[in-house]
Amino acid sequence: MNDRREEAVRLIGDRADRVMVELPAGGGSIPALAVRGRGLAETWELSLLALWGYGVRQRTEYDRRNEAGEFLDPESVDCTMRMIIEDPLAEPMIHRCFPGGLDALEEYRQEVVDGIKDHWVRDQSNPDDQRWEYTYHERIFNYKVPGVEGGIDQIAAVIEGLSKSPHSRRQQAIVWKPWEDTGISDPACMQSLWFRILPDGDGVWTLNLNVRFRSRDAYDAAFMNCFAIIDLMRRVAEGISAKAGRPVKLGRYIDEADSYHIYGSKLADFQARFLKQVGSRSFEGRTWTLDFAEPIFAEARPRIAEKIKEYDRERA
């Protein structure tokens, strides 16, 4: 057993039954890992520990080199990952070890769910436009196809479809645009969201969600991604409930990443911050509840709005 695996096994501890590992025989195969937790904080933590212990070392397109072409960054740690979150709103929901503060988490949630940065997306027909290639909100709520007038609100379609036919298997939103994303420097990582309703034992409609990413920064981005998408899931449930006139609760959330990785340049920080806290603090000591964070989110909202305005003034 190598040092990374030994450390991961020790930190996973009695939660080993919540981690599934498939290590293909021989070289050249990406490990396929799966973790299961009650809530987001626990599941994300287990995903990083599993990745640390069982992931493979691999180079990336973002590793820095010197003038001689020699790599300056260590290799990344990589795997294919499935996270199964049993109760997306279970508390404590927020893990303290995600890089970035609560202000940044609220800003990202608004970016994905409310579209506060959609106007930063570049005009694809203008080669001199240096704004962003995409936002997830813009792709999901205003998906544009060449030759089709206007944009497609895929979430509105999901809500409409599941309100009329709750057993439908057709309700999804896609992100990838092959005519735009193939060959660009910053293509979309998230690929699709698939929604499905099942009744629980009492007949209450329960919304399940599958999310797929082609590539995922496990340490720097995955927690914030999941936090925002779970809020989007909640809004979809509320929309279906309002249209159908009956309660809809959240069911399990499955998050799959073809490449789930920690960049080599961030491994030292990951070990010093994340692994150290997991090894030295109780679970309650390394997490926050949503109730704790909400007043901080509320204080941050005016600052976030002003930050967007200031950026817009500078770009103008």
Side-chain angles (χ1 to χ4, degrees), residues 31-281:
L33 312 179
V35 299
R36 176 173 53 87
R38 180 168 176 265
L40 170 57
E42 178 190 15
T43 311
W44 178 70
E45 177 177 291
L46 285 172
S47 77
L48 287 180
L49 293 175
L51 169 60
W52 178 244
Y54 297 96
V56 293
R57 302 304 296 265
Q58 177 67 302
R59 283 287 166 205
T60 80
E61 294 161 305
Y62 300 100
D63 293 341
R64 295 171 299 171
R65 298 173 184 252
N66 61 22
E67 292 182 357
E70 301 166 327
F71 285 106
L72 300 174
D73 294 323
E75 293 176 310
S76 68
V77 180
D78 204 336
C79 74
T80 292
M81 175 62 70
R82 166 181 276 200
M83 290 188 280
I84 304 169
I85 302 176
E86 297 168 346
D87 180 357
L89 298 177
E91 297 284 17
M93 188 176 182
I94 301 173
H95 205 293
R96 298 190 191 191
C97 295
F98 81 92
L102 291 175
D103 283 32
L105 184 60
E106 170 61 12
E107 181 176 339
Y108 184 74
R109 185 198 65 78
Q110 290 185 40
E111 178 185 321
V112 173
V113 179
D114 300 324
I116 62 171
K117 298 178 182 177
D118 282 5
H119 60 292
W120 293 3
V121 176
R122 65 185 294 266
D123 178 359
Q124 298 291 334
S125 64
N126 180 2
D128 297 324
D129 192 338
Q130 299 299 311
R131 291 176 295 171
W132 290 6
E133 297 286 357
Y134 69 95
T135 70
Y136 289 138
H137 183 277
E138 181 259 349
R139 290 283 177 98
I140 294 168
F141 286 84
N142 191 27
Y143 191 88
K144 294 177 181 176
V145 180
V148 177
E149 187 176 352
I152 302 167
D153 186 340
Q154 299 182 85
I155 294 300
V158 165
I159 292 171
E160 182 71 21
L162 287 176
S163 300
K164 292 181 176 178
S165 181
H167 51 272
S168 175
R169 299 172 302 212
R170 303 173 181 176
Q171 305 310 323
Q172 68 171 353
I174 61 172
V175 176
W176 189 258
K177 291 183 176 182
W179 62 90
E180 289 182 10
D181 295 340
T182 303
I184 64 174
S185 61
D186 186 27
C189 294
M190 184 165 67
Q191 300 298 291
S192 65
L193 302 97
W194 179 81
F195 298 86
R196 186 87 191 274
I197 286 179
L198 270 76
D200 70 3
D202 298 318
V204 177
W205 284 4
T206 304
L207 181 67
N208 296 260
L209 174 59
N210 291 0
V211 182
R212 178 179 163 258
F213 281 74
R214 62 164 184 85
S215 179
R216 197 71 166 289
D217 187 330
Y219 182 46
D220 272 357
F223 181 85
M224 294 175 75
N225 292 154
C226 291
F227 183 83
I229 294 168
I230 287 170
D231 192 52
L232 176 62
M233 181 185 184
R234 178 185 61 80
R235 292 200 183 186
V236 170
E238 290 175 351
I240 296 168
S241 178
K243 272 195 168 291
R246 59 185 295 171
V248 178
K249 67 178 186 179
L250 300 194
R252 99 298 181 264
Y253 169 105
I254 289 183
D255 187 292
E256 296 183 304
D258 300 328
S259 169
Y260 194 71
H261 51 263
I262 304 172
Y263 285 105
S265 61
K266 298 304 294 283
L267 288 175
D269 181 75
F270 170 77
Q271 292 174 271
R273 293 182 66 252
F274 181 86
L275 294 179
K276 183 177 180 180
Q277 287 199 39
V278 174
S280 62
R281 295 184 180 183

